């Protein structure tokens, strides 16, 4: 007989959480949902999920609670806050936090939950809103290994590359490494394109040829064309990128580790935020490059 599907509680139905929850519903998982802004629960309720009045109620009604909110204080609030998951927790409950937050805060939350007999996994993701919709995210997981194995069928609905990274906090640590590599890649794309522009190259041809060689990367393929077209509509917002770089730099200072390139890119992004572009996609990093170069990359649409 097939094993009963776990009842999932989903908290945080934003750009990422909503499609992830919908994919789990489509895969046949019974679900109870909660979102701070209640109107965002509607598509899930229409697809068959039950609505709850608080994270606490979600926990009472679930075998596994998934959180997909913004930052460390937000995860603390929905899990440990006055109406949080911990107050509806029952022994055996599993909490999976898929937001990108601090590894140190993650370990603290996991410890508090463990005191109530609740196991926690940190399972941040990479792959953006497109990966969330297609169920092709990369998922990096920290926490007890047996809990990871128990939750693997759930992760397989959400992602295509799922990797166990070690004890609590190691999933978040992996995600922060991912963000360092992404941020410096964006800066590399900006500088390479700007050199081409200043020297009078055809930027579309430049992109075409270097994408196929050793400089090829996700950032170059996906953000390079948007920089040239000045299409700054967000996939991943600069404000979220800055949250992640703040987490990276604070974690690196706990480790007394210098990350000079990351610190520079954070300042470049800050100057884009100072232009009022924090809600634009990370490809708007080119605006900072343009300011210090004293020229535009291209003169196409704004
Ligand atoms: P989003 O669209 O801004 O959604 C954030 C969600 O968190 C919303 O449902 C929001 O509720 C909820 N929330 C925030 N603070 C809360 C609080 N204090 N209490 C209760 N609910 C709260 O963000 P997102 O793009 O889905 O990102 C979610 C997480 O995934 C972030 O940690 C982000 O860094 C990470 N991530 C994002 C991407 C991406 O491409 N977008 C990729 C990988 C990882 P309201 O609706 O009430 O505001």
């Amino acid at each position: 007989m097939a094993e009963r599907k776990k009842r999932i509680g989903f908290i945080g139905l934003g750009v990422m959480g909503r499609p992830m929850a919908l994919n789990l519903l489509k895969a046949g998982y019974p679900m109870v949902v909660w979102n701070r802004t209640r109107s965002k629960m509607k598509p899930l309720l229409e697809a068959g999920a039950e609505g709850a009045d608080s994270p606490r109620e979600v926990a009472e009604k679930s075998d596994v609670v998934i959180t997909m909110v913004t930052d460390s204080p937000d995860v603390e609030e929905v899990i440990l806050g006055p109406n949080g998951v911990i107050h509806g927790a029952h022994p055996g409950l599993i909490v999976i936090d898929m937001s990108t937050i601090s590894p140190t805060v993650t370990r603290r939350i996991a410890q508090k939950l463990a005191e109530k007999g609740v196991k926690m996994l940190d399972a941040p993701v990479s792959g953006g809103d497109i990966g969330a919709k297609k169920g092709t995210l990369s998922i990096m997981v920290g926490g007890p290994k047996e809990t990871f194995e128990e939750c693997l069928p759930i992760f397989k609905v959400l992602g295509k590359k799922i990797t166990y990274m070690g004890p609590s906090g190691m999933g978040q640590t992996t995600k922060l490494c991912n963000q360092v590599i992404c941020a410096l890649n964006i800066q590399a794309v900006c500088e390479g394109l700007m050199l081409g522009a200043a020297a009078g190259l055809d930027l579309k041809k430049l992109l075409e040829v270097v994408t196929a060689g050793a400089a090829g990367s996700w950032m170059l393929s996906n953000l390079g064309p948007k920089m040239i077209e000045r299409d700054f509509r967000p996939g991943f917002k600069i404000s979220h990128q800055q949250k992640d770089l703040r987490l990276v730099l604070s974690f690196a200072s706990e480790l007394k580790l210098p990350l000079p390139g990351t610190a520079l890119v954070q300042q470049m992004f800050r100057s884009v935020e100072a232009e009022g572009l924090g809600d634009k996609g990370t490809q708007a990093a080119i605006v900072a490059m343009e300011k210090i170069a004293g020229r535009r990359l291209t003169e196409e649409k704004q």
Side-chain angles (χ1 to χ4, degrees):
M1 206 176 70
E3 207 185 320
R4 177 185 76 88
K5 278 206 156 73
K6 290 184 189 304
R7 189 170 166 82
I8 296 179
F10 211 107
I11 294 174
L13 303 167
V15 168
M16 298 295 286
R18 182 177 51 156
M20 289 164 71
L22 279 170
N23 283 340
L24 288 166
L25 260 180
K26 278 187 214 140
Y29 283 92
M31 184 173 288
V32 50
V33 297
W34 178 83
N35 195 73
R36 181 177 59 183
T37 307
R38 293 189 66 89
S39 57
K40 291 193 196 164
M41 286 161 56
K42 197 164 167 242
L44 275 298
L45 303 183
E46 283 170 359
E50 183 189 339
D53 282 329
S54 63
R56 172 195 191 130
E57 189 187 335
V58 170
E60 283 164 358
K61 294 181 169 172
S62 305
D63 302 311
V64 173
V65 173
I66 298 178
T67 50
M68 192 54 168
V69 294
T70 309
D71 201 351
S72 310
D74 306 313
V75 177
E76 283 184 305
E77 189 175 332
V78 297
I79 295 181
L80 305 177
N83 241 333
V85 166
I86 199 163
H87 302 293
H90 46 88
L93 177 73
I94 296 172
V95 172
I96 308 176
D97 177 38
M98 303 193 80
S99 333
T100 302
I101 68 161
S102 147
T104 310
V105 172
T106 294
R107 292 189 187 109
R108 200 162 62 224
I109 298 172
Q111 180 57 42
K112 289 247 160 69
L113 287 172
E115 288 162 15
K116 293 257 179 172
V118 177
K119 298 260 173 37
M120 176 174 174
L121 297 173
D122 46 303
V125 304
S126 176
D129 56 327
I130 298 169
K133 282 185 195 128
K134 290 190 177 160
T136 57
L137 293 166
S138 282
I139 310 178
M140 29 216 123
V141 190
K145 181 95 190 274
E146 63 285 1
T147 312
F148 166 72
E149 274 153 12
E150 196 180 335
C151 294
L152 204 48
I154 295 174
F155 290 133
K156 283 186 175 161
V157 173
L158 302 173
K160 70 169 191 317
K161 181 75 184 163
I162 300 137
T163 308
Y164 179 72
M165 299 304 300
S168 179
M170 290 312 209
Q172 294 296 354
T173 303
T174 308
K175 173 72 184 182
L176 296 189
C177 300
N178 180 81
Q179 293 309 78
V180 168
I181 297 165
C182 287
L184 284 160
N185 237 293
I186 294 170
Q187 181 66 15
V189 173
C190 288
E191 293 194 18
L193 288 181
M194 191 53 96
L195 177 61
L201 279 176
D202 176 328
L203 293 184
K204 287 191 177 140
K205 282 166 91 178
L206 169 64
L207 257 191
E208 212 177 286
V209 68
V210 298
T211 299
S217 70
W218 190 99
M219 293 300 165
L220 189 65
S221 303
N222 290 284
L223 301 189
K226 291 184 179 173
M227 288 179 190
I228 293 174
E229 284 155 23
R230 307 195 75 72
D231 174 2
F232 296 154
R233 285 173 298 171
F236 189 60
K237 284 182 192 160
I238 286 179
S239 55
H240 276 162
Q241 176 77 35
Q242 286 295 70
K243 171 205 50 125
D244 291 355
L245 294 185
R246 178 178 44 73
L247 291 170
V248 165
L249 291 172
S250 137
F251 188 55
S253 25
E254 285 175 38
L255 298 174
K256 304 210 181 325
L257 180 76
L259 293 176
T262 309
L264 170 70
V265 179
Q266 191 209 30
Q267 295 298 312
M268 296 295 277
F269 276 122
R270 187 169 291 168
S271 94
V272 184
E273 290 182 299
E275 296 280 307
L277 301 175
D279 278 341
K280 301 293 183 190
T282 45
Q283 66 274 24
I286 196 66
V287 171
M289 191 66 215
E290 290 176 334
K291 276 170 71 183
I292 57 169
R295 55 158 294 142
R296 293 273 289 254
L297 182 70
T298 52
E299 292 304 330
E300 287 168 50
K301 72 175 183 235
Q302 186 65 269

